[in-house]
Amino acid sequence: QVQLVESGGGLVQPGGSLRLSCAASTTIFDITSMGWYRQAPGKQRELVARISSGGDTNYADSLKGRFTISRDNAKNTVYLEMNNLKPEDTAVYYCNLRNTRNYWGQGTQVTVSS
C-alpha cells in the first residue's frame, strides 16, 4: 500500500510556527488533491486545508490567514505552514492524498504550549 509520511510536528510555544511536510512513499499518479486534517483529543477529525493538483486551495474558515498549504505535484509532497499557533491547534495532524483512492498518513503530533 501507499504510505504517506508526515514530518515537522513537535512542541512549540503559542505564537510560534511550524512547517509540516508529507511525502508519499512511492510515485502516485493522477493526484486530484492533497490536504491536511487534524484531530484533537475528544474531537472529530476536521479539515484543515486542501489543495488541488491545479493549485486551488480551501481552508477551514477559522484557520484562514494563519495556515498556508502548498504542494509539489512532481514530488507528491504537500506542506502546511502554520503561524501564530494557539493551544487549541494542539492535535494530531494527518496528511491526505487523493487520486481515484484516498490515502492517509499516520499523523504527526503538534503540541502548542507555554
Side-chain angles (χ1 to χ4, degrees), residues 12-74:
V12 295
Q13 296 180 339
S17 298
L18 282 175
R19 182 178 176 87
L20 305 183
S21 299
C22 173
S25 61
T26 187
T27 300
I28 301 175
F29 299 98
D30 301 322
I31 294 170
T32 301
S33 67
M34 295 173 280
W36 292 93
Y37 293 71
R38 69 184 185 184
Q39 187 167 20
K43 294 186 176 181
Q44 301 297 311
R45 186 174 298 189
E46 64 177 346
L47 172 69
V48 175
R50 296 200 64 81
I51 184 167
S52 74
S53 59
D56 297 326
T57 59
N58 294 99
Y59 296 88
D61 287 343
S62 63
L63 303 178
K64 182 78 173 181
R66 293 197 296 120
F67 290 12
T68 302
I69 190 169
S70 60
R71 85 284 185 272
D72 185 336
N73 287 341

Short mmCIF file of all heavy atoms in Angstrom, two decimals, residues 12-74:
data_model
loop_
_atom_site.label_atom_id
_atom_site.label_comp_id
_atom_site.label_asym_id
_atom_site.label_seq_id
_atom_site.Cartn_x
_atom_site.Cartn_y
_atom_site.Cartn_z
N VAL A 12 5.72 23.56 20.30
CA VAL A 12 6.02 24.97 20.06
C VAL A 12 5.26 25.83 21.05
O VAL A 12 4.24 25.42 21.61
CB VAL A 12 5.66 25.42 18.63
CG1 VAL A 12 6.52 24.69 17.61
CG2 VAL A 12 4.18 25.17 18.35
N GLN A 13 5.76 27.03 21.27
CA GLN A 13 5.09 27.98 22.13
C GLN A 13 3.94 28.65 21.40
O GLN A 13 3.95 28.76 20.17
CB GLN A 13 6.07 29.05 22.60
CG GLN A 13 7.20 28.54 23.47
CD GLN A 13 8.13 29.66 23.89
OE1 GLN A 13 8.19 30.70 23.25
NE2 GLN A 13 8.85 29.44 24.97
N PRO A 14 2.93 29.11 22.13
CA PRO A 14 1.90 29.91 21.49
C PRO A 14 2.51 31.08 20.73
O PRO A 14 3.43 31.74 21.22
CB PRO A 14 1.05 30.40 22.66
CG PRO A 14 1.24 29.35 23.71
CD PRO A 14 2.68 28.91 23.57
N GLY A 15 1.99 31.32 19.54
CA GLY A 15 2.54 32.35 18.69
C GLY A 15 3.65 31.88 17.79
O GLY A 15 4.07 32.62 16.88
N GLY A 16 4.12 30.68 18.00
CA GLY A 16 5.19 30.14 17.19
C GLY A 16 4.70 29.57 15.88
O GLY A 16 3.52 29.63 15.55
N SER A 17 5.63 29.00 15.14
CA SER A 17 5.34 28.48 13.81
C SER A 17 5.92 27.09 13.64
O SER A 17 6.92 26.73 14.25
CB SER A 17 5.91 29.39 12.73
OG SER A 17 5.35 30.69 12.78
N LEU A 18 5.28 26.33 12.79
CA LEU A 18 5.77 25.03 12.37
C LEU A 18 5.46 24.84 10.90
O LEU A 18 4.49 25.40 10.38
CB LEU A 18 5.11 23.89 13.15
CG LEU A 18 5.59 23.58 14.56
CD1 LEU A 18 4.70 22.50 15.17
CD2 LEU A 18 7.04 23.14 14.57
N ARG A 19 6.27 24.03 10.26
CA ARG A 19 6.04 23.65 8.88
C ARG A 19 5.97 22.13 8.80
O ARG A 19 6.95 21.45 9.10
CB ARG A 19 7.14 24.18 7.97
CG ARG A 19 6.94 23.87 6.49
CD ARG A 19 8.07 24.46 5.66
NE ARG A 19 7.99 24.12 4.25
CZ ARG A 19 7.31 24.78 3.34
NH1 ARG A 19 6.62 25.86 3.69
NH2 ARG A 19 7.31 24.39 2.08
N LEU A 20 4.83 21.62 8.41
CA LEU A 20 4.65 20.20 8.24
C LEU A 20 4.87 19.80 6.79
O LEU A 20 4.53 20.55 5.87
CB LEU A 20 3.24 19.77 8.66
CG LEU A 20 2.78 20.16 10.06
CD1 LEU A 20 1.39 19.60 10.31
CD2 LEU A 20 3.76 19.67 11.12
N SER A 21 5.42 18.62 6.62
CA SER A 21 5.63 18.07 5.29
C SER A 21 5.05 16.67 5.23
O SER A 21 5.02 15.96 6.22
CB SER A 21 7.13 18.01 4.95
OG SER A 21 7.71 19.29 4.96
N CYS A 22 4.62 16.29 4.05
CA CYS A 22 4.09 14.96 3.83
C CYS A 22 4.51 14.50 2.45
O CYS A 22 4.27 15.19 1.46
CB CYS A 22 2.57 14.95 3.94
SG CYS A 22 1.79 13.39 3.48
N ALA A 23 5.13 13.34 2.40
CA ALA A 23 5.60 12.79 1.14
C ALA A 23 5.14 11.35 1.00
O ALA A 23 5.14 10.59 1.96
CB ALA A 23 7.12 12.87 1.05
N ALA A 24 4.78 10.98 -0.20
CA ALA A 24 4.37 9.62 -0.48
C ALA A 24 5.59 8.71 -0.60
O ALA A 24 6.66 9.13 -1.04
CB ALA A 24 3.55 9.56 -1.77
N SER A 25 5.40 7.48 -0.21
CA SER A 25 6.49 6.51 -0.26
C SER A 25 6.83 6.08 -1.67
O SER A 25 7.91 5.53 -1.91
CB SER A 25 6.13 5.28 0.58
OG SER A 25 4.98 4.64 0.07
N THR A 26 5.93 6.31 -2.59
CA THR A 26 6.16 5.98 -3.98
C THR A 26 5.44 7.00 -4.84
O THR A 26 4.59 7.76 -4.36
CB THR A 26 5.67 4.56 -4.31
OG1 THR A 26 6.05 4.21 -5.64
CG2 THR A 26 4.15 4.47 -4.17
N THR A 27 5.79 7.02 -6.10
CA THR A 27 5.14 7.94 -7.03
C THR A 27 3.66 7.60 -7.15
O THR A 27 3.28 6.44 -7.31
CB THR A 27 5.80 7.88 -8.40
OG1 THR A 27 7.19 8.23 -8.28
CG2 THR A 27 5.13 8.83 -9.37
N ILE A 28 2.86 8.62 -7.07
CA ILE A 28 1.41 8.47 -7.20
C ILE A 28 0.95 9.30 -8.39
O ILE A 28 1.29 10.48 -8.50
CB ILE A 28 0.68 8.91 -5.92
CG1 ILE A 28 1.16 8.07 -4.73
CG2 ILE A 28 -0.82 8.78 -6.09
CD1 ILE A 28 0.59 8.51 -3.42
N PHE A 29 0.19 8.68 -9.24
CA PHE A 29 -0.25 9.33 -10.46
C PHE A 29 -1.67 9.85 -10.35
O PHE A 29 -2.47 9.37 -9.55
CB PHE A 29 -0.14 8.36 -11.64
CG PHE A 29 1.25 7.88 -11.90
CD1 PHE A 29 1.68 6.65 -11.42
CD2 PHE A 29 2.14 8.66 -12.63
CE1 PHE A 29 2.96 6.20 -11.66
CE2 PHE A 29 3.43 8.22 -12.87
CZ PHE A 29 3.85 6.99 -12.38
N ASP A 30 -1.96 10.83 -11.18
CA ASP A 30 -3.32 11.37 -11.30
C ASP A 30 -3.87 11.86 -9.98
O ASP A 30 -5.02 11.57 -9.62
CB ASP A 30 -4.25 10.33 -11.92
CG ASP A 30 -3.80 9.87 -13.29
OD1 ASP A 30 -3.31 10.71 -14.06
OD2 ASP A 30 -3.94 8.66 -13.58
N ILE A 31 -3.06 12.62 -9.27
CA ILE A 31 -3.50 13.17 -8.00
C ILE A 31 -4.57 14.23 -8.23
O ILE A 31 -4.42 15.13 -9.05
CB ILE A 31 -2.32 13.79 -7.24
CG1 ILE A 31 -1.32 12.69 -6.84
CG2 ILE A 31 -2.80 14.53 -6.00
CD1 ILE A 31 -0.02 13.24 -6.29
N THR A 32 -5.64 14.11 -7.50
CA THR A 32 -6.72 15.08 -7.55
C THR A 32 -6.49 16.21 -6.56
O THR A 32 -6.63 17.40 -6.88
CB THR A 32 -8.07 14.42 -7.27
OG1 THR A 32 -8.31 13.40 -8.24
CG2 THR A 32 -9.19 15.44 -7.34
N SER A 33 -6.13 15.84 -5.33
CA SER A 33 -5.89 16.84 -4.31
C SER A 33 -5.04 16.26 -3.20
O SER A 33 -4.93 15.04 -3.04
CB SER A 33 -7.20 17.38 -3.74
OG SER A 33 -7.88 16.38 -3.01
N MET A 34 -4.47 17.14 -2.42
CA MET A 34 -3.74 16.79 -1.23
C MET A 34 -4.21 17.72 -0.11
O MET A 34 -4.64 18.84 -0.38
CB MET A 34 -2.24 16.93 -1.43
CG MET A 34 -1.66 15.95 -2.45
SD MET A 34 0.09 16.26 -2.82
CE MET A 34 -0.08 17.63 -3.97
N GLY A 35 -4.10 17.23 1.10
CA GLY A 35 -4.58 18.07 2.17
C GLY A 35 -4.13 17.64 3.54
O GLY A 35 -3.39 16.66 3.69
N TRP A 36 -4.56 18.42 4.51
CA TRP A 36 -4.27 18.17 5.91
C TRP A 36 -5.55 18.19 6.71
O TRP A 36 -6.41 19.06 6.51
CB TRP A 36 -3.31 19.22 6.48
CG TRP A 36 -1.93 19.15 5.91
CD1 TRP A 36 -1.44 19.82 4.85
CD2 TRP A 36 -0.86 18.34 6.41
NE1 TRP A 36 -0.12 19.49 4.65
CE2 TRP A 36 0.26 18.58 5.58
CE3 TRP A 36 -0.74 17.44 7.47
CZ2 TRP A 36 1.49 17.95 5.79
CZ3 TRP A 36 0.48 16.81 7.67
CH2 TRP A 36 1.57 17.06 6.84
N TYR A 37 -5.65 17.24 7.60
CA TYR A 37 -6.72 17.17 8.58
C TYR A 37 -6.09 17.10 9.96
O TYR A 37 -4.89 16.82 10.10
CB TYR A 37 -7.60 15.95 8.35
CG TYR A 37 -8.41 16.00 7.07
CD1 TYR A 37 -7.80 15.86 5.83
CD2 TYR A 37 -9.79 16.16 7.11
CE1 TYR A 37 -8.53 15.90 4.66
CE2 TYR A 37 -10.54 16.20 5.94
CZ TYR A 37 -9.90 16.06 4.72
OH TYR A 37 -10.64 16.10 3.56
N ARG A 38 -6.88 17.34 10.97
CA ARG A 38 -6.36 17.20 12.32
C ARG A 38 -7.43 16.66 13.24
O ARG A 38 -8.63 16.80 12.98
CB ARG A 38 -5.82 18.53 12.85
CG ARG A 38 -6.89 19.57 13.13
CD ARG A 38 -6.25 20.87 13.57
NE ARG A 38 -7.23 21.87 13.95
CZ ARG A 38 -6.94 23.12 14.30
NH1 ARG A 38 -5.67 23.52 14.30
NH2 ARG A 38 -7.91 23.95 14.63
N GLN A 39 -6.98 16.06 14.32
CA GLN A 39 -7.89 15.53 15.32
C GLN A 39 -7.33 15.82 16.70
O GLN A 39 -6.25 15.35 17.05
CB GLN A 39 -8.11 14.03 15.14
CG GLN A 39 -9.18 13.46 16.04
CD GLN A 39 -9.60 12.06 15.63
OE1 GLN A 39 -8.87 11.37 14.92
NE2 GLN A 39 -10.77 11.65 16.07
N ALA A 40 -8.06 16.60 17.44
CA ALA A 40 -7.70 16.91 18.82
C ALA A 40 -8.38 15.92 19.75
O ALA A 40 -9.40 15.31 19.40
CB ALA A 40 -8.12 18.34 19.16
N PRO A 41 -7.83 15.75 20.94
CA PRO A 41 -8.46 14.82 21.90
C PRO A 41 -9.92 15.17 22.15
O PRO A 41 -10.26 16.33 22.40
CB PRO A 41 -7.62 15.02 23.17
CG PRO A 41 -6.29 15.47 22.67
CD PRO A 41 -6.59 16.34 21.48
N GLY A 42 -10.77 14.17 22.06
CA GLY A 42 -12.18 14.37 22.31
C GLY A 42 -12.95 15.01 21.17
O GLY A 42 -14.14 15.29 21.34
N LYS A 43 -12.31 15.24 20.05
CA LYS A 43 -12.97 15.87 18.92
C LYS A 43 -12.90 15.00 17.69
O LYS A 43 -12.09 14.08 17.60
CB LYS A 43 -12.34 17.24 18.63
CG LYS A 43 -12.53 18.27 19.72
CD LYS A 43 -12.00 19.62 19.29
CE LYS A 43 -12.26 20.68 20.33
NZ LYS A 43 -11.75 22.01 19.90
N GLN A 44 -13.75 15.32 16.73
CA GLN A 44 -13.74 14.63 15.45
C GLN A 44 -12.63 15.16 14.56
O GLN A 44 -12.18 16.30 14.72
CB GLN A 44 -15.08 14.80 14.74
CG GLN A 44 -16.28 14.28 15.52
CD GLN A 44 -16.21 12.80 15.74
OE1 GLN A 44 -15.96 12.02 14.81
NE2 GLN A 44 -16.41 12.37 16.98
N ARG A 45 -12.20 14.32 13.65
CA ARG A 45 -11.22 14.77 12.69
C ARG A 45 -11.83 15.86 11.81
O ARG A 45 -12.98 15.74 11.36
CB ARG A 45 -10.74 13.61 11.83
CG ARG A 45 -9.60 13.96 10.89
CD ARG A 45 -9.07 12.74 10.16
NE ARG A 45 -8.52 11.75 11.08
CZ ARG A 45 -7.84 10.67 10.70
NH1 ARG A 45 -7.61 10.45 9.40
NH2 ARG A 45 -7.40 9.81 11.60
N GLU A 46 -11.09 16.91 11.58
CA GLU A 46 -11.59 18.03 10.81
C GLU A 46 -10.62 18.44 9.72
O GLU A 46 -9.41 18.26 9.83
CB GLU A 46 -11.86 19.23 11.73
CG GLU A 46 -10.61 19.80 12.38
CD GLU A 46 -10.88 21.03 13.22
OE1 GLU A 46 -11.97 21.62 13.09
OE2 GLU A 46 -9.98 21.42 14.00
N LEU A 47 -11.19 19.00 8.69
CA LEU A 47 -10.38 19.52 7.60
C LEU A 47 -9.61 20.75 8.04
O LEU A 47 -10.17 21.65 8.67
CB LEU A 47 -11.27 19.88 6.41
CG LEU A 47 -10.59 20.61 5.25
CD1 LEU A 47 -9.62 19.67 4.52
CD2 LEU A 47 -11.63 21.17 4.28
N VAL A 48 -8.34 20.79 7.72
CA VAL A 48 -7.52 21.98 7.92
C VAL A 48 -7.40 22.75 6.61
O VAL A 48 -7.74 23.92 6.53
CB VAL A 48 -6.13 21.61 8.45
CG1 VAL A 48 -5.25 22.84 8.55
CG2 VAL A 48 -6.25 20.92 9.81
N ALA A 49 -6.91 22.07 5.59
CA ALA A 49 -6.73 22.71 4.29
C ALA A 49 -6.58 21.65 3.22
O ALA A 49 -6.10 20.55 3.49
CB ALA A 49 -5.50 23.62 4.30
N ARG A 50 -6.98 22.01 2.01
CA ARG A 50 -6.78 21.14 0.86
C ARG A 50 -6.29 21.98 -0.30
O ARG A 50 -6.59 23.17 -0.41
CB ARG A 50 -8.08 20.43 0.45
CG ARG A 50 -8.65 19.48 1.48
CD ARG A 50 -9.59 18.48 0.83
NE ARG A 50 -8.89 17.62 -0.12
CZ ARG A 50 -8.18 16.55 0.22
NH1 ARG A 50 -8.06 16.19 1.49
NH2 ARG A 50 -7.58 15.83 -0.72
N ILE A 51 -5.55 21.32 -1.18
CA ILE A 51 -5.08 21.97 -2.39
C ILE A 51 -5.22 20.99 -3.54
O ILE A 51 -4.81 19.83 -3.45
CB ILE A 51 -3.62 22.47 -2.23
CG1 ILE A 51 -3.18 23.23 -3.48
CG2 ILE A 51 -2.67 21.33 -1.88
CD1 ILE A 51 -1.89 24.02 -3.26
N SER A 52 -5.80 21.45 -4.62
CA SER A 52 -5.97 20.60 -5.79
C SER A 52 -4.67 20.51 -6.57
O SER A 52 -3.74 21.30 -6.38
CB SER A 52 -7.08 21.14 -6.68
OG SER A 52 -6.65 22.29 -7.38
N SER A 53 -4.62 19.56 -7.47
CA SER A 53 -3.44 19.42 -8.31
C SER A 53 -3.22 20.66 -9.17
O SER A 53 -2.09 20.92 -9.61
CB SER A 53 -3.55 18.18 -9.19
OG SER A 53 -4.69 18.24 -10.03
N GLY A 54 -4.28 21.41 -9.41
CA GLY A 54 -4.17 22.64 -10.17
C GLY A 54 -3.86 23.86 -9.33
O GLY A 54 -3.67 24.95 -9.88
N GLY A 55 -3.81 23.70 -8.01
CA GLY A 55 -3.43 24.79 -7.14
C GLY A 55 -4.54 25.49 -6.40
O GLY A 55 -4.27 26.41 -5.62
N ASP A 56 -5.78 25.10 -6.63
CA ASP A 56 -6.89 25.70 -5.89
C ASP A 56 -6.85 25.25 -4.44
O ASP A 56 -6.62 24.07 -4.15
CB ASP A 56 -8.23 25.30 -6.50
CG ASP A 56 -8.39 25.81 -7.91
OD1 ASP A 56 -7.89 26.91 -8.22
OD2 ASP A 56 -9.03 25.10 -8.72
N THR A 57 -7.08 26.17 -3.53
CA THR A 57 -6.98 25.87 -2.11
C THR A 57 -8.29 26.10 -1.38
O THR A 57 -9.11 26.94 -1.78
CB THR A 57 -5.89 26.72 -1.43
OG1 THR A 57 -6.19 28.11 -1.62
CG2 THR A 57 -4.53 26.42 -2.03
N ASN A 58 -8.47 25.36 -0.32
CA ASN A 58 -9.59 25.53 0.59
C ASN A 58 -9.08 25.40 2.01
O ASN A 58 -8.27 24.52 2.29
CB ASN A 58 -10.69 24.50 0.33
CG ASN A 58 -11.35 24.65 -1.01
OD1 ASN A 58 -11.01 23.95 -1.95
ND2 ASN A 58 -12.28 25.59 -1.10
N TYR A 59 -9.58 26.25 2.89
CA TYR A 59 -9.18 26.24 4.28
C TYR A 59 -10.39 26.23 5.19
O TYR A 59 -11.45 26.75 4.83
CB TYR A 59 -8.36 27.49 4.63
CG TYR A 59 -7.05 27.62 3.91
CD1 TYR A 59 -6.97 28.25 2.68
CD2 TYR A 59 -5.88 27.13 4.48
CE1 TYR A 59 -5.76 28.39 2.02
CE2 TYR A 59 -4.67 27.26 3.83
CZ TYR A 59 -4.62 27.89 2.60
OH TYR A 59 -3.41 28.03 1.95
N ALA A 60 -10.21 25.66 6.35
CA ALA A 60 -11.19 25.87 7.39
C ALA A 60 -11.25 27.37 7.69
O ALA A 60 -10.21 28.03 7.80
CB ALA A 60 -10.83 25.09 8.65
N ASP A 61 -12.46 27.89 7.82
CA ASP A 61 -12.62 29.34 7.98
C ASP A 61 -11.82 29.88 9.16
O ASP A 61 -11.22 30.95 9.08
CB ASP A 61 -14.09 29.69 8.15
CG ASP A 61 -14.88 29.55 6.86
OD1 ASP A 61 -14.27 29.50 5.79
OD2 ASP A 61 -16.12 29.50 6.95
N SER A 62 -11.81 29.15 10.25
CA SER A 62 -11.14 29.63 11.45
C SER A 62 -9.63 29.65 11.32
O SER A 62 -8.95 30.31 12.11
CB SER A 62 -11.54 28.76 12.65
OG SER A 62 -11.12 27.42 12.47
N LEU A 63 -9.10 28.96 10.34
CA LEU A 63 -7.66 28.86 10.16
C LEU A 63 -7.13 29.73 9.02
O LEU A 63 -5.92 29.90 8.89
CB LEU A 63 -7.25 27.41 9.92
CG LEU A 63 -7.66 26.42 11.01
CD1 LEU A 63 -7.23 25.01 10.63
CD2 LEU A 63 -7.07 26.82 12.35
N LYS A 64 -8.04 30.22 8.22
CA LYS A 64 -7.64 31.06 7.10
C LYS A 64 -6.86 32.27 7.61
O LYS A 64 -7.28 32.96 8.53
CB LYS A 64 -8.88 31.53 6.34
CG LYS A 64 -8.60 32.37 5.11
CD LYS A 64 -8.15 31.52 3.95
CE LYS A 64 -8.04 32.35 2.67
NZ LYS A 64 -7.62 31.51 1.52
N GLY A 65 -5.71 32.48 7.01
CA GLY A 65 -4.86 33.60 7.40
C GLY A 65 -3.72 33.21 8.31
O GLY A 65 -2.73 33.95 8.40
N ARG A 66 -3.83 32.09 9.00
CA ARG A 66 -2.75 31.60 9.85
C ARG A 66 -2.02 30.43 9.23
O ARG A 66 -0.82 30.27 9.44
CB ARG A 66 -3.27 31.19 11.23
CG ARG A 66 -3.79 32.33 12.06
CD ARG A 66 -3.89 31.91 13.53
NE ARG A 66 -4.87 30.84 13.73
CZ ARG A 66 -4.58 29.64 14.24
NH1 ARG A 66 -3.34 29.35 14.62
NH2 ARG A 66 -5.53 28.73 14.40
N PHE A 67 -2.75 29.60 8.50
CA PHE A 67 -2.17 28.41 7.89
C PHE A 67 -2.12 28.57 6.38
O PHE A 67 -3.03 29.15 5.78
CB PHE A 67 -3.00 27.16 8.22
CG PHE A 67 -2.94 26.71 9.65
CD1 PHE A 67 -2.39 27.50 10.65
CD2 PHE A 67 -3.45 25.46 10.00
CE1 PHE A 67 -2.35 27.07 11.97
CE2 PHE A 67 -3.41 25.02 11.30
CZ PHE A 67 -2.86 25.82 12.29
N THR A 68 -1.08 28.04 5.79
CA THR A 68 -0.93 28.07 4.35
C THR A 68 -0.54 26.69 3.84
O THR A 68 0.43 26.10 4.33
CB THR A 68 0.13 29.09 3.91
OG1 THR A 68 -0.22 30.39 4.39
CG2 THR A 68 0.22 29.14 2.38
N ILE A 69 -1.28 26.20 2.87
CA ILE A 69 -0.97 24.91 2.28
C ILE A 69 -0.30 25.12 0.93
O ILE A 69 -0.64 26.06 0.19
CB ILE A 69 -2.24 24.03 2.14
CG1 ILE A 69 -1.87 22.61 1.75
CG2 ILE A 69 -3.23 24.65 1.15
CD1 ILE A 69 -3.03 21.62 1.86
N SER A 70 0.64 24.26 0.62
CA SER A 70 1.30 24.30 -0.68
C SER A 70 1.67 22.88 -1.07
O SER A 70 1.59 21.96 -0.24
CB SER A 70 2.53 25.20 -0.65
OG SER A 70 3.48 24.74 0.29
N ARG A 71 2.05 22.71 -2.30
CA ARG A 71 2.37 21.36 -2.75
C ARG A 71 3.40 21.37 -3.87
O ARG A 71 3.60 22.38 -4.54
CB ARG A 71 1.11 20.61 -3.21
CG ARG A 71 0.68 20.84 -4.67
CD ARG A 71 0.03 22.18 -4.87
NE ARG A 71 -0.47 22.37 -6.22
CZ ARG A 71 0.23 22.85 -7.24
NH1 ARG A 71 1.51 23.20 -7.06
NH2 ARG A 71 -0.31 22.99 -8.43
N ASP A 72 4.02 20.23 -4.03
CA ASP A 72 4.91 19.97 -5.13
C ASP A 72 4.37 18.72 -5.80
O ASP A 72 4.62 17.61 -5.34
CB ASP A 72 6.34 19.78 -4.66
CG ASP A 72 7.32 19.61 -5.80
OD1 ASP A 72 6.92 19.20 -6.90
OD2 ASP A 72 8.52 19.89 -5.59
N ASN A 73 3.63 18.90 -6.87
CA ASN A 73 2.99 17.77 -7.53
C ASN A 73 4.00 16.74 -8.04
O ASN A 73 3.75 15.54 -7.99
CB ASN A 73 2.12 18.24 -8.68
CG ASN A 73 0.85 18.91 -8.22
OD1 ASN A 73 0.41 18.75 -7.08
ND2 ASN A 73 0.23 19.68 -9.12
N ALA A 74 5.11 17.23 -8.54
CA ALA A 74 6.12 16.33 -9.09
C ALA A 74 6.69 15.40 -8.03
O ALA A 74 7.11 14.28 -8.33
CB ALA A 74 7.24 17.12 -9.76
#
